[in-house]
Each structure stands twice: as structure tokens, then as C-alpha cells.
Amino acid sequence: MLIGTMARQTGVSARLLRYYEEQGLLAPRRRPSGFRDYREQDVHAVRHIRALLAAGLSTRAIAAVMPCLPGGDGLAPVPPSADLLAGLRRERVRLRDAAAGLLAACEVLDAVIASAQVPHR
């Protein structure tokens, strides 16, 4: 699929897709015309990239992780190195701590919302 179709399917601008390619996060094939030719597995890759970026991972870290994910292209994922695994474990702890903090904030908001719904006398 061409970059415009890819942008519509993923909700990511063509400019951002080109940036992901520059950062080594995507590697679309090229048509004889030179146009990028994205595959369905690239749609899934963009979803992974977006999720990891939203979680606070750098593009450098994501570029290291991407080859370790099943790609749907029939190639086996690359096993992560010991250094990468150590970094991913640290990231996972950070994300779990952040998630716990967000849940605690939700509980505070829930309490405020619940108290506003109780008629005051």
C-alpha cells in the first residue's frame, strides 16, 4: 500500500511514517517507481511503535525492540540480547510503577466524583 493509504489506516501522518523509516523503525519495500510499498505487517508495526512511544520509550530503544517482535513476514524474531533484556526489564518496572500511580490518581478522582453525586443536606 502507498504511504497515503498507510497513513489513513494507522492514523499516523505520512511525514511521521517517513520519520519512523529514518529512525530504523519501519523498512517498507520500494516499488520500481521509488514509492514506498507498505505491507499489512507494517500496520501492526506502527501500532507497536505508537504504543511504545506513548509509554515513553525512545525511538532508539524501539528500534532495538522491533526485530525481536514477530513480524508476520515469516521470519523468526531475533532473540533480544542480555543488555536489551536488562533495559526492557527496567522499562517494565517503570511502566508498572507509572500505571500504579495512574490507578491511584483514578481512585482519587473516583472518590471526588462519587462525593459530588451524593445529595448534600
Side-chain angles (χ1 to χ4, degrees):
M1 78 187 77
L2 293 174
I3 197 165
T5 303
M6 178 70 164
R8 282 189 297 282
Q9 281 199 7
T10 61
V12 173
S13 70
R15 181 174 179 221
L16 198 48
L17 291 170
R18 287 188 290 272
Y19 173 75
Y20 291 165
E21 185 179 352
E22 289 170 12
Q23 297 299 306
L25 305 178
L26 287 176
R29 293 182 284 193
R30 293 287 182 150
R31 293 182 177 189
S33 62
F35 291 143
R36 290 166 178 85
D37 188 14
Y38 292 94
R39 298 161 294 192
E40 190 61 35
Q41 63 225 36
D42 294 322
V43 173
H44 299 292
V46 168
R47 290 184 184 134
H48 291 308
I49 292 164
R50 299 298 296 162
L52 294 171
L53 284 170
L57 275 73
S58 68
T59 55
R60 178 181 284 174
I62 296 168
V65 169
M66 293 304 288
C68 303
L69 297 171
D73 52 10
L75 299 175
V78 175
S81 68
D83 287 343
L84 179 57
L85 277 176
L88 294 177
R89 287 183 177 115
R90 285 190 299 274
E91 282 298 319
R92 185 177 57 190
V93 167
R94 182 188 65 78
L95 290 173
R96 286 187 175 156
D97 289 347
L102 290 171
L103 287 174
C106 281
E107 290 173 6
V108 170
L109 296 178
D110 287 344
V112 171
I113 291 167
S115 70
Q117 294 174 353
V118 175
H120 295 315
R121 296 180 190 212

